[in-house]
Amino acid sequence: MEWETVIGLEVHAQLKTRSKIFSGAPTAYGAAPNTQANVVDAAFPGVLPVLNGEAVRMAARFGLAVGATVHRRSVFARKNYFYPDLPKGYQISQYEHPIVERGRLVIATAAGEKVVGITRAHLEEDAGKSLHEDLGGFTGIDLNRAGTPLLEIVSEPDMRSAAEAVAYLKTLHTLVRYLDICDGNMQEGSFRCDANVSVRPLGETRLGTRAEIKNINSFRFVERAIDYEVRRQIALLSSGGQVRQETRLYDSVRDETRSMRSKEEANDYRYFPDPDLPTLVLTEDLLAEVKAAMPELPDAKRRRFCDQYGLSAYDAGVLTASRELARYYEDAVQAAGAEPKLVANWVTGELAARLNEDGLDIGGARVTAQALAGLVRRVADGTVSGKAAKDVFEAMWAGEGDADAVIAARGLRQISDDSAIEEVVRQVIAANPKQLAQYRAGEEKVFTFFVGQTMKASRGKANPAKVNEILRRLLAP
Amino acid sequence: MPHGLTSLNAEDIEKVAHLARLGLSGPERDAYAQDLSRILDLVSQMNAVPTDGVEPMTHPDEAGLRLRDDAVGNEIDRDRLLAVAPKTRDGLYLVPKVIE
Amino acid sequence: MTPTITKIAEDLAAGRCSSRELVDDALARIAAQAPLNAFVTVDPEAARRDADAADRARRAGAGGVLAGVPIAHKDIFCTAGVKTTCGSRMLADFVPPYDATVVGKMKAAGCVMVGKTNMDEFAMGSSNETSYFGPVRNPWDRDRVPGGSSGGSAAAVAARLVPAATGTDTGGSIRQPAALCGITGLKPSYGRVSRYGLIAFASSLDQAGPMAQTAEDCAHLLSAMAGFDERDATSLDVPVPDYAAGLGKDLKGLRIGVVKEHFAEGVEPGVLDALREALREYERLGARLVDVSLPNSAHAVPCYYVLAPAEASSNLARYDGVRYGFRAPDYQDLEDMYKKTRSQGFGPEVKRRIMIGTYALSAGYYDAYYVKALKLRRLIADDFARAFTQCDVLAGPASPSTAFALGAKNTDPVSMYLNDIFTIPVNLAGLPALSLPAGFAGGLPVGLQLIGRYLDEARLLNVAHRFQQATDWHARVPAGL
């Protein structure tokens, strides 16, 4: 039997606010335990939540970016359950009336563009962390993360393969960083994903029973976890078994999903509107402010890069993968004054390779956009050869100064002066009468010998185009 | 909604008590079953009032939620907060081992 | 005898007494009346220190009406460095690191806190018998209850231990004990006074307010307590009038709505007699009585006993023995710790309400109970809006009876709940209301409830003040003090 995979994703994007969603405690990652949790986060008696306006603006920005309905009225609800890292005994979330509903995200798949529906996105607070390491048989509770603002983004079950799921996640990941609402750091848990996976016989329209896979915190693991889960479900169904609706945990070490028995107890969360927080009303002023601050989105930027700079769709895609990279590119083009394609080649070529090698993102580039532009200008005006320019770039990366300084210090200035090159060429021809004879007898391949000898004699500095031209002229019978 | 005499049995009570994380003894369960049934009888008098089309009123203040500026307040003193906790170590609250 | 704040302020200003003398006197009375059990905590050293500071400030020319006035706070308000129990074993040793906004504002106004008053556990009760620290006795008859949940505050003011105290009112917890103890107590409009640091019972209903001998004193206290607080999202950002300055307007042309349903069966005849006489007094003062109806308020008690427990079941989930408060001494595992901590830390009435609330919110019952109650709440609020098109204030009993005997209503929770039948609708609608002494029945005080339009506290206080200028019920004092 042929099977069809159906995937829906729930992403928790941590919003980049300075303070928490309902308290003035800071949201910085990695601080000593319980140093970023105040009396509100620790749910002391009598304290109250007050909503962070920036979290609301960020959620609205996201809603507008995915073409969703941004509701003028939305409601915070309490999700009640007991867990030691949930200090109030409830999580403040949005349930019946989320702030964002019915959006869409266009993703690139092997078969072309595909639209994935976004069911909803709602604001909620994060819980603290339970630490299970050796604490004398106890579990330790760190509330630093408690109250950190999250935007939970729920997709429709529109994806049909692990690859599509990854494409959706990457597109979403790019988008939230473009919108400057989430730093996207998956290791630190700023961008977390749960996957709802089911399979059904091809042609069936009803959904199969799904399993929810939690704890998948890299794009690679998303693909692997889904692939494993799909195989598991197909094997189960093929052998006459049934898929259980349950929560499963992805274990990246064993590359498998397994049932989370501790979560099996049927929960009754008793959602109800939080009486400490009246209805959230978005004013037209606030929405206008959010619209005015909306950055250029990845799609629009990609199209503009193709049109404005004459780039290929591929290069435009690479250069707009992040807002920072796109800005670097545009800064370099502006500083170079021209040559957008040449700049693109350098950014996607040497620069990208070097960043990758050093494990840096564009923010860590040791050659600024202006400095790179300086180098590109010297390549364009023939001051250095393309080959020498790569050495110049390496030297710049190593901190030896700007392009002109490196070229001067290392004597890499290209010889483009016709008479100087002609002088070298004449010496080379004179020193190789045998090869001259062969060439003149019609052995065309000897030409490259003369190019090599000339470059060698000029210690690589002769302009290769000029060398070719002059050799052709002087070798001619 | 159940009409007339509402009757909760010990099993209902146990389920609710578990959701609320209240440990009840056998006699307590029976007593609560009786009390809660009486209270629910009182509560079910609401049924006498037709409420079709009435907008639920969740809050006396329906003007809308006031928003806070995204500013960090300088108000955390971990030692003072942990000082009132029943059990701590190394800046962490301690609870019996949670099995994931 | 402890005078009113108005009198104290005059004496302090004229140098006829010092704050230190007032505080020493209050401390002595509290000690002498210990059997009333009105206080959970008394802090003599801090009180004397603060009184001395108030005296120094006054000599330096600083300080308003309340500067140096001894007061007590209901033990539901968090007080930095001072034990705050909420009448519960759960918080029997809890010392908060912060002041409630109300406490901070009273401090800023110069009030000197002498102690924290006893109360029903987590404010759940109408008799003060659910306190972990034992019942409070009514100074008018020590075998009777003072009402609840602010029973300690009411008894302390009635016994003239302090000139004033704070209270909170979720379904009548200021007005009913004020009525039963013969003092004046005001529940302001929802949002008028900050709830920050007030230990939550039912967040959409809770409101803090003053309890004192007179409406004039309540006016001074409310001016100090009220106002916007950025730490409470439900706090109203509207100006606070000088309530005391607004007193003294005459009542000619005032339309008093007499709630038909509140003068009916179920109210003790002696209470009705006293209230009818009070209404006649108002007519003599120039007010006109108008008959009004609140048809849905009969359903307020059922509605309230869904909404308040539902909110409470969630508000009290934080008491889990992890970060503060009581933790059961022996437990097997996490679940066991939760269950033992909560079943040992909470008393029977609190557990009962947590259970009711949990049930009403649980799957399958939410619409039938919770949503239904929210719709009724709307109808009840609409009744008030309609009534206020015909009148300026509403009048009726604060309680269907005078103070009842200790233990009389302990066996049946429902009979206890019905005590709040006249006060609860006001909380559901978020309106301001007060109870003022309006006579006696069988030697026990009777309270007249006045209900106002939203944010119309100034008018309520004036209407009560004029009555108190014409009568002396508020000045009567229990025997044997």
Side-chain angles (χ1 to χ4, degrees):
Chain A
M1 192 189 296
E2 269 209 76
W3 298 90
E4 182 178 48
T5 303
V6 177
I7 304 160
L9 296 173
E10 290 171 20
V11 169
H12 286 88
Q14 183 182 312
L15 297 175
K16 272 175 76 174
T17 55
R18 283 186 287 273
S19 63
K20 291 186 175 171
I21 184 165
F22 297 117
S23 90
T27 53
Y29 179 83
N34 291 311
T35 55
Q36 315 235 354
N38 65 17
V39 289
V40 175
D41 306 309
F44 269 58
V47 301
L48 297 168
V50 184
L51 181 59
N52 185 335
E54 193 58 23
V56 175
R57 282 187 279 272
M58 286 177 172
R61 200 183 303 163
F62 176 80
L64 293 174
V66 295
T69 303
V70 179
H71 289 295
R72 297 302 186 273
R73 297 177 77 83
S74 63
V75 175
F76 284 94
R78 294 182 179 179
K79 178 182 184 179
N80 295 284
Y81 65 97
F82 284 88
Y83 203 74
D85 61 20
L86 188 73
K88 293 188 289 296
Y90 57 84
Q91 178 195 31
I92 305 177
S93 181
Q94 295 189 304
Y95 184 57
E96 280 185 278
H97 304 285
I99 183 166
V100 169
E101 276 187 297
R102 295 180 299 276
R104 60 208 289 279
L105 200 61
V106 179
I107 64 170
T109 72
E113 287 194 341
K114 171 170 182 162
V115 175
V116 176
I118 289 176
T119 316
R120 58 185 276 157
H122 67 254
L123 286 164
E124 63 182 27
E125 59 179 342
D126 208 344
K129 272 184 181 159
S130 299
L131 305 167
H132 304 295
E133 69 237 30
D134 185 32
L135 287 161
F138 287 87
T139 288
I141 306 296
D142 173 10
L143 298 178
N144 281 352
R145 202 181 62 183
T148 301
L150 299 176
L151 188 65
E152 179 173 337
I153 304 158
V154 182
S155 85
E156 291 288 309
D158 284 348
M159 286 148 283
R160 294 292 174 267
S161 67
E164 284 187 12
V166 171
Y168 167 84
L169 277 180
K170 285 189 168 166
T171 307
L172 188 61
H173 189 251
T174 301
L175 179 65
V176 295
R177 284 178 303 140
Y178 256 79
L179 295 171
D180 203 24
I181 62 174
C182 173
D183 68 18
N185 190 322
M186 296 176 86
Q187 274 76 46
E188 293 178 3
S190 303
F191 189 86
R192 313 197 285 266
C193 171
D194 300 336
N196 289 309
V197 179
S198 64
V199 298
R200 62 186 173 191
L202 196 62
E204 172 64 63
T205 51
R206 281 171 308 169
L207 291 171
T209 306
R210 66 187 159 86
E212 183 182 9
I213 314 172
K214 289 210 176 277
N215 195 31
I216 31 185
N217 292 333
S218 81
F219 295 127
R220 196 160 54 105
F221 291 160
V222 167
E223 188 147 23
R224 284 198 194 170
I226 292 173
D227 279 339
Y228 174 88
E229 182 60 21
V230 167
R231 283 197 306 276
R232 187 187 74 87
Q233 291 187 13
I234 291 175
L236 205 56
L237 294 171
S238 301
S239 62
Q242 284 195 323
V243 174
R244 268 206 322 164
Q245 181 155 347
E246 63 180 351
T247 303
R248 298 179 70 84
L249 193 74
Y250 178 64
D251 180 336
S252 58
V253 177
R254 297 162 118 180
D255 188 23
E256 62 178 32
T257 66
R258 59 169 187 270
S259 184
M260 288 176 77
R261 290 200 174 75
S262 63
K263 300 253 173 178
E264 268 173 37
E265 178 191 320
N267 270 312
D268 183 347
Y269 291 123
R270 291 159 284 135
Y271 284 99
F272 75 107
D274 191 325
D276 286 326
L277 297 161
T279 303
L280 168 59
V281 178
L282 295 194
T283 60
E284 293 307 319
D285 282 358
L286 186 140
L287 279 171
E289 186 193 320
V290 170
K291 272 181 196 152
M294 184 68 81
E296 187 181 26
L297 299 179
D299 264 343
K301 199 181 281 277
R302 197 162 53 237
R303 279 194 298 275
R304 180 169 65 80
F305 274 26
C306 291
D307 296 346
Q308 186 177 343
Y309 302 121
L311 302 181
S312 69
Y314 178 81
D315 279 353
V318 172
L319 289 171
T320 56
S322 80
R323 213 167 142 181
E324 294 73 25
L325 183 62
R327 169 174 300 170
Y328 183 101
Y329 169 72
E330 292 207 276
D331 285 352
V333 169
Q334 199 184 13
E339 305 289 351
K341 281 190 184 173
L342 191 54
V343 174
N345 290 343
W346 274 91
V347 173
T348 60
E350 291 303 306
L351 178 74
R354 207 66 183 79
L355 288 171
N356 191 37
E357 211 170 292
D358 290 5
L360 297 171
D361 60 25
I362 189 68
R366 286 203 268 272
V367 173
T368 66
Q370 287 69 26
L372 185 72
L375 175 59
V376 169
R377 271 202 306 273
R378 292 296 163 258
V379 174
D381 69 14
T383 305
V384 284
S385 67
K387 185 167 172 296
K390 292 182 180 178
D391 296 335
V392 176
F393 178 81
E394 286 300 320
M396 290 165 73
W397 190 268
E400 292 179 24
D402 66 14
D404 288 344
V406 172
I407 291 165
R410 297 199 169 188
L412 292 173
R413 179 174 286 275
Q414 186 165 249
I415 301 167
S416 297
D417 177 45
D418 283 9
S419 58
I421 294 172
E422 209 172 301
E423 177 60 33
V424 177
V425 168
R426 281 184 195 285
Q427 285 169 15
V428 168
I429 292 173
N432 296 287
K434 194 171 120 206
Q435 284 78 4
L436 177 67
Q438 285 169 340
Y439 179 79
R440 287 189 171 161
E443 284 191 50
E444 176 62 26
K445 66 176 194 249
V446 183
F447 185 76
T448 54
F449 166 79
F450 282 107
V451 172
Q453 290 300 306
T454 308
M455 292 309 288
K456 194 175 164 189
S458 75
R459 296 204 308 279
K461 286 188 280 185
N463 181 329
K466 295 237 155 134
V467 170
N468 271 344
E469 179 203 318
I470 291 165
L471 268 172
R472 288 279 178 214
R473 181 155 52 78
L474 297 182
L475 286 172
Chain B
M1 190 189 294
H3 264 280
L5 281 180
T6 316
S7 153
L8 291 181
N9 58 33
E11 198 182 320
D12 298 328
I13 293 294
E14 188 49 43
K15 204 182 117 210
V16 175
H18 175 68
L19 277 177
R21 296 300 186 273
L22 292 169
L24 302 182
S25 67
E28 275 182 309
R29 261 198 298 278
D30 295 341
Y32 278 121
Q34 209 174 32
D35 284 353
L36 264 57
S37 298
R38 281 158 93 172
I39 297 167
L40 290 175
D41 279 342
L42 169 76
V43 159
S44 20
Q45 291 172 12
M46 294 194 301
N47 286 333
V49 189
T51 52
D52 289 350
V54 176
E55 181 68 19
M57 177 177 168
T58 51
H59 210 271
D61 175 13
E62 298 187 302
L65 187 51
R66 184 171 49 78
L67 302 177
R68 177 175 72 75
D69 288 341
D70 182 22
V72 174
N74 181 24
E75 54 191 19
I76 300 168
D77 181 343
R78 180 176 77 176
D79 294 343
R80 279 184 81 188
L81 295 199
L82 292 185
V84 297
K87 199 170 178 66
T88 63
R89 188 200 286 182
D90 302 336
L92 295 165
Y93 295 104
L94 291 191
V95 299
K97 195 97 186 156
V98 177
I99 298 120
E100 286 270 308
Chain C
M1 195 50 58
T2 302
T4 61
I5 289 175
T6 311
K7 178 74 168 56
I8 287 173
E10 285 169 18
D11 289 349
L12 282 169
R16 286 192 289 270
C17 71
S18 68
S19 177
R20 176 60 187 263
E21 285 162 3
L22 292 166
V23 163
D24 281 337
D25 185 47
L27 292 169
R29 287 169 194 278
I30 291 167
Q33 296 298 332
L36 286 176
N37 202 23
F39 282 79
V40 174
T41 300
V42 181
D43 192 348
E45 286 89 70
R48 291 194 178 103
R49 189 189 61 221
D50 293 350
D52 289 343
D55 286 331
R56 280 195 301 276
R58 186 172 289 280
R59 282 195 296 276
V65 176
L66 296 178
V69 174
I71 59 156
H73 285 300
K74 184 178 182 180
D75 210 15
I76 200 169
F77 293 99
C78 287
T79 41
V82 178
K83 202 170 69 172
T84 301
T85 69
C86 217
S88 181
R89 182 185 191 192
M90 191 60 94
L91 294 174
D93 299 309
F94 175 63
V95 178
Y98 47 92
D99 275 334
T101 298
V102 163
V103 171
K105 278 176 169 283
M106 302 296 270
K107 236 181 228 178
C111 289
V112 177
M113 181 183 84
V114 294
K116 309 283 298 283
T117 59
N118 201 346
M119 56 181 283
D120 279 300
E121 184 179 10
F122 283 99
M124 298 177 189
S126 308
S127 69
N128 225 296
E129 292 167 294
T130 72
S131 171
Y132 176 63
F133 303 97
V136 176
R137 290 167 184 275
N138 191 318
W140 292 91
D141 178 344
R142 292 173 189 231
D143 293 327
R144 292 179 186 268
V145 304
S149 65
S150 310
S153 287
V157 174
R160 303 299 191 249
L161 309 184
V162 282
T166 53
T168 62
D169 190 318
T170 306
S173 283
I174 286 175
R175 292 160 287 159
Q176 185 256 15
L180 269 47
C181 288
I183 64 162
T184 308
L186 168 70
K187 181 203 94 76
S189 307
Y190 186 86
R192 177 84 278 189
V193 176
S194 168
R195 293 186 298 116
Y196 185 86
L198 182 177
I199 297 178
F201 162 12
S203 310
S204 80
L205 302 162
D206 294 342
Q207 185 63 197
M211 304 176 81
Q213 292 177 36
T214 64
E216 187 176 16
D217 284 4
C218 285
H220 288 302
L221 294 162
L222 183 62
S223 291
M225 291 168 77
F228 174 65
D229 181 6
E230 60 181 13
R231 290 176 299 180
D232 174 1
T234 62
S235 160
L236 293 171
D237 194 359
V238 293
V240 180
D242 180 344
Y243 292 108
L247 301 177
K249 293 190 198 89
D250 80 48
L251 302 185
K252 281 204 175 53
L254 178 82
R255 297 169 302 166
I256 296 180
V258 180
V259 184
K260 189 174 75 183
E261 292 84 358
H262 290 191
F263 287 84
E265 253 180 276
V267 184
E268 282 179 4
V271 171
L272 286 179
D273 290 346
L275 295 181
R276 289 202 177 102
E277 179 49 39
L279 291 177
R280 278 192 287 277
E281 181 63 44
Y282 269 116
E283 285 184 304
R284 286 193 286 276
L285 289 169
R288 188 155 57 84
L289 303 185
V290 186
D291 285 329
V292 297
S293 172
L294 301 172
N296 289 294
S297 66
H299 309 291
V301 173
C303 171
Y304 177 87
Y305 277 94
V306 172
L307 298 182
E311 293 184 19
S313 71
S314 178
N315 281 335
L316 271 61
R318 66 188 59 197
Y319 306 105
D320 58 4
V322 177
R323 297 164 312 285
Y324 47 76
F326 175 75
R327 181 189 282 199
D330 299 304
Y331 43 84
Q332 307 297 314
D333 53 27
L334 181 69
E335 284 296 301
D336 197 39
M337 184 193 90
Y338 280 152
K339 289 186 175 176
K340 284 190 173 140
T341 294
R342 290 169 59 78
S343 56
Q344 294 167 24
F346 293 134
E349 182 59 24
V350 170
K351 284 190 268 193
R352 201 175 283 131
R353 298 206 195 182
I354 290 174
M355 299 272 287
I356 280 288
T358 303
Y359 181 78
L361 291 174
S362 65
Y365 301 103
Y366 179 79
D367 288 332
Y369 289 113
Y370 188 74
V371 176
K372 178 80 181 181
L374 290 179
K375 290 179 170 185
L376 266 170
R377 182 177 193 176
R378 169 85 55 197
L379 295 179
I380 290 162
D382 288 350
D383 277 359
F384 281 110
R386 210 171 303 116
F388 280 122
T389 62
Q390 300 164 259
C391 63
D392 304 307
V393 296
L394 295 168
S399 168
S401 71
T402 54
F404 47 91
L406 283 159
K409 299 191 179 184
N410 276 349
T411 47
D412 178 10
V414 170
S415 75
M416 185 72 91
Y417 296 171
L418 290 170
N419 244 291
D420 295 332
I421 187 161
F422 302 129
T423 46
I424 279 173
V426 176
N427 299 78
L428 291 169
L431 301 173
L434 57 75
S435 174
L436 74 160
F440 287 82
L444 294 167
V446 171
L448 170 70
Q449 176 174 231
L450 297 173
I451 305 167
R453 295 193 182 99
Y454 194 51
L455 290 181
D456 205 10
E457 286 85 356
R459 187 198 306 263
L460 273 187
L461 287 163
N462 182 55
V463 172
H465 176 65
R466 295 298 295 196
F467 183 83
Q468 291 179 336
Q469 287 187 310
T471 62
D472 73 344
W473 305 117
H474 61 281
R476 307 283 179 96
V477 184
L481 291 181

